[in-house]
């Protein structure tokens, strides 16, 4: 793949190439025929909801545990593309599939901590303490109050200073890796071993994101299905190549997820086609629809998986998590 191609957005739309792949949304999953949860009549919505809840029960079956803890970095330096939404909902969906999951909030905004209803006021033991002061993760982790098998290392506003505080420290780019690898529940073989560690990165390519890239085995890149979707991705992939060459040869871009996908527009289909032509099999065939339920869940301290479990957004994340888990199992 030529990375310069990634900055050429002129081919994204408004007209997709003929024969563009259509992406699955929850509407397809449940064969309910309604594309988003933001339209249609109350009666249609109610019928769809019943179908979706029924389908959700089927989708929530247990999944095989991966052979080894999968440490996944959710990154894209473009802001507002759905990194945090994807981290918390994938984590919740995996936990609902019977996996044991740790979310590491690596963004000073603390949005993942908020969405998972985890205390992260100033002074709470947090990612900052683990990164800068070397406090063991076991002393900063909190269980999710809502979902069994889900754990969170919260971010407080102190993390905003970490980019600077880290500069003068030894091995400044591998401190998160050290913390994760020292966590007894990672890579062990006991029943309580973690199956997934998902790291929610800030929208920049600074030392915090670098720490995540050095700590992770795999990257999960959310891409918003909109006009400038691939802008800046070339720079992200160059950073990944640099990390692979010098700091973490095992890092792979294993998973791309299309977010805020509006199946009614040709633009979304065009962007999906473009993303698929660059990344191929790495792109999950489930796209996440644009949905009001997804965006309002955090204000209730919830993921959409508990806020509205039968909604198309929740079912899409369940299906995406299932796909990601099955792909990882066969890798
Ligand atoms: N599928 C969706 N449908 C509707 N709104 C969404 C969806 N996914 C995310 N959003 C909303 O878009 C906004 C940005 O999402 P989010 O915070 O997950 O992005 P981000 O990449 O983590 O942002 P940042 O770069 O600031 O960390 C939020 O308001 C979120 O609620
Ligand atoms: Mg975020």
């Amino acid at each position: 793949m030529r990375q310069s191609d990634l900055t050429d957005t002129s081919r994204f739309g408004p007209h997709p190439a003929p024969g563009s792949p259509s992406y699955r949304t929850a509407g397809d999953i449940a064969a309910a025929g309604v594309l988003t949860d933001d339209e249609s009549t109350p009666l249609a919505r109610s019928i769809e909801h019943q179908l979706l809840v029924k389908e959700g029960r089927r989708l929530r079956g247990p999944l095989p545990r991966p052979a080894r803890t999968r440490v996944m970095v959710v990154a894209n330096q473009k802001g507002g593309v759905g990194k945090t939404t994807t981290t918390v909902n994938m984590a919740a969906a995996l936990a609902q599939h019977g996996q044991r999951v740790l979310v590491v909030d690596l963004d000073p905004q603390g949005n993942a901590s908020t969405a998972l209803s985890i205390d992260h006021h100033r002074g709470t033991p947090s990612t900052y303490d683990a990164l800068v002061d070397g406090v063991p993760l076991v002393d900063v982790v909190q269980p999710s109050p809502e979902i069994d098998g889900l754990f969170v290392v919260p971010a407080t506003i102190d993390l905003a200073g970490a980019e600077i505080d880290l500069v003068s420290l030894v091995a400044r780019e591998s401190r998160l890796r050290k913390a994760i690898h020292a966590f007894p529940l990672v890579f062990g073989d006991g029943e309580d071993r973690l199956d997934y560690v998902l790291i929610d990165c800030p929208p920049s390519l600074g030392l915090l994101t670098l720490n995540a890239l050095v700590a992770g085995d795999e990257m999960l890149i959310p891409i918003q299905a909109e006009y400038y979707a691939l802008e800046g991705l070339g720079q992200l992939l160059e950073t990944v190549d640099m990390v692979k060459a010098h700091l973490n040869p095992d890092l792979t871009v294993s998973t791309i997820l299309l977010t805020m996908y509006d199946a009614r527009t040709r633009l979304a289909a065009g962007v999906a086609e473009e993303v698929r032509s660059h990344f191929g099999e790495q792109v999950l065939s489930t796209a996440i629809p644009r949905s009001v339920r997804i965006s309002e869940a955090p204000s209730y301290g919830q993921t959409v998986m508990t806020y509205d479990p039968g909604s198309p957004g929740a079912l899409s994340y369940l299906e995406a998590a299932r796909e990601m888990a099955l792909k990882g199992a066969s890798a």
Side-chain angles (χ1 to χ4, degrees):
M1 172 183 38
R2 282 179 304 138
Q3 297 192 344
S4 57
D5 289 352
L6 295 173
T7 50
D8 176 11
T9 52
S10 60
R11 289 173 295 141
F12 295 167
H15 301 293
S20 316
S22 63
Y23 279 76
R24 286 189 297 163
T25 63
D28 306 319
I29 295 163
V34 178
L35 292 175
T36 76
D37 54 358
D38 307 333
E39 52 182 331
S40 79
T41 63
L43 178 62
R45 258 200 315 272
S46 151
I47 293 168
E48 184 196 29
H49 193 262
Q50 285 167 27
L51 279 168
L52 291 173
V53 167
K54 214 167 134 203
E55 188 64 9
R57 270 188 224 118
R58 184 185 71 77
L59 290 173
R60 278 183 184 82
L63 284 171
R65 302 179 68 183
R68 174 179 189 272
T69 305
R70 293 175 73 184
V71 182
M72 306 196 67
V73 183
V74 185
N76 184 340
Q77 84 276 25
K78 201 166 155 52
V81 297
K83 293 180 287 297
T84 302
T85 306
T86 294
T87 303
V88 300
N89 287 296
M90 286 293 242
L94 286 165
Q96 289 183 339
H97 275 309
Q99 309 289 302
R100 290 173 58 78
V101 186
L102 173 68
V103 168
V104 177
D105 192 347
L106 198 57
D107 187 344
Q109 299 177 100
N111 295 154
S113 310
T114 304
L116 294 170
S117 213
I118 297 293
D119 189 9
H120 63 113
H121 68 269
R122 206 168 202 160
T124 308
S126 69
T127 320
Y128 179 93
D129 303 295
L131 276 178
V132 177
D133 296 328
V135 174
L137 285 190
V138 73
D139 294 332
V140 296
V141 74
Q142 298 183 39
S144 155
E146 297 271 345
I147 300 172
D148 281 348
L150 178 57
F151 304 87
V152 183
V153 177
T156 64
I157 190 65
D158 298 315
L159 198 55
E163 295 272 4
I164 293 167
D165 296 344
L166 281 168
V167 171
S168 58
L169 298 179
V170 280
R172 61 191 174 197
E173 65 287 309
S174 53
R175 297 181 73 90
L176 183 60
R177 183 183 183 89
K178 198 172 159 212
I180 288 175
H181 282 239
F183 193 33
L185 295 182
V186 173
F187 307 136
D189 48 17
E191 261 307 292
D192 57 354
R193 185 209 68 185
L194 290 164
D195 299 306
Y196 289 85
V197 177
L198 298 184
I199 307 171
D200 184 31
C201 291
S204 63
L205 289 176
L207 260 180
L208 287 172
T209 299
L210 190 58
N211 260 275
L213 296 177
V214 173
D217 311 311
E218 300 176 49
M219 283 182 78
L220 161 55
I221 305 180
I223 295 181
Q224 186 178 349
E226 50 114 79
Y227 189 68
Y228 294 113
L230 300 186
E231 249 188 19
L233 264 189
Q235 202 191 348
L236 177 62
L237 296 179
E238 277 166 24
T239 307
V240 172
D241 285 346
M242 187 276 289
V243 170
K244 280 172 76 150
H246 301 289
L247 298 162
N248 181 12
D250 299 332
L251 183 66
T252 59
V253 177
S254 67
T255 313
I256 308 284
L257 178 65
L258 284 161
T259 63
M260 297 181 238
Y261 186 82
D262 186 344
R264 293 165 303 185
T265 67
R266 290 177 165 199
L267 175 63
V271 172
E273 156 85 4
E274 195 72 19
V275 171
R276 173 68 81 174
S277 74
H278 282 299
F279 291 103
E281 288 306 300
Q282 290 144 293
V283 188
L284 294 182
S285 58
T286 306
I288 308 301
R290 185 174 280 285
S291 148
V292 170
R293 292 284 179 277
I294 290 178
S295 60
E296 65 193 12
S299 56
Y300 296 90
Q302 291 193 49
T303 65
V304 77
M305 310 309 304
T306 55
Y307 176 62
D308 193 350
S311 65
L315 293 182
S316 301
Y317 270 115
L318 263 186
E319 184 60 14
R322 171 176 284 274
E323 237 191 281
M324 190 174 86
L326 292 175
K327 268 173 95 176
S330 61

